[in-house]
């Protein structure tokens, strides 16, 4: 059974840091891109960061310079290092993992940044 599981969320003060992880298990197929999204109640899910299988990254303008995405292909794992966090970064963060003809979502992990 294929599973995508995020972890690492929590409560942090503004200016603090967190590191999120996303692990894909149960799949023997190659992974292409891996994305981090976030969503707050009442708003659309927002693409935050993308990393390709070759390590090419792309970020939303609002997080550039503060969030860094990386991946360990051998472990089917993606990370999101979050620094200089702001209250507006508060959201549920979701991982999306894509192959050639498939993609899977995780259940999300809550990040709360207090002012």
């Amino acid at each position: 059974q294929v599973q995508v599981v995020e972890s690492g969320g929590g409560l942090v003060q503004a200016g603090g840091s967190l590191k999120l992880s996303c692990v894909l298990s149960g799949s023997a197929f190659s992974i292409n891109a891996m994305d981090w999204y976030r969503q707050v109640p009442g708003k659309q899910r927002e693409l935050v960061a993308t990393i390709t299988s070759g390590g090419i990254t792309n970020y939303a303008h609002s997080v550039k310079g503060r969030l860094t995405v990386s991946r360990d292909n051998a472990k089917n794992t993606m990370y999101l290092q979050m620094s200089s966090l702001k209250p507006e970064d508060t959201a549920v963060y979701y991982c999306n993992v894509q192959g050639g003809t498939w993609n899977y979502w995780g259940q999300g992990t809550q990040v709360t940044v207090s002012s």
Side-chain angles (χ1 to χ4, degrees):
Q1 181 180 355
V2 177
Q3 274 193 312
V4 175
V5 179
E6 303 97 335
S7 61
L11 174 63
V12 63
Q13 287 190 329
S17 299
L18 280 175
K19 186 173 183 177
L20 307 184
S21 298
C22 165
V23 181
L24 171 73
S25 62
S27 172
F29 296 102
S30 296
I31 298 172
N32 293 340
M34 302 178 80
D35 304 326
W36 284 104
Y37 284 77
R38 66 186 182 188
Q39 189 170 26
V40 297
K43 291 192 175 182
Q44 284 193 328
R45 197 167 291 189
E46 172 193 21
L47 179 60
V48 173
T50 296
I51 185 165
T52 68
S53 57
I56 297 172
T57 59
N58 198 18
Y59 298 92
H61 179 74
S62 59
V63 306
K64 270 185 182 176
R66 301 186 300 113
L67 274 57
T68 303
V69 61
S70 61
R71 64 191 278 177
D72 184 335
N73 292 329
K75 296 181 179 179
N76 285 350
T77 300
M78 173 176 63
Y79 306 97
L80 187 67
Q81 179 66 53
M82 311 170 72
S83 304
S84 302
L85 283 164
K86 304 176 181 180
E88 51 263 44
D89 293 317
T90 295
V92 178
Y93 283 72
Y94 296 92
C95 171
N96 182 259
V97 181
Q98 300 144 50
T101 58
W102 53 266
N103 74 91
Y104 294 102
W105 289 93
Q107 82 292 344
T109 185
Q110 176 71 47
V111 171
T112 303
V113 183
S114 63
S115 55

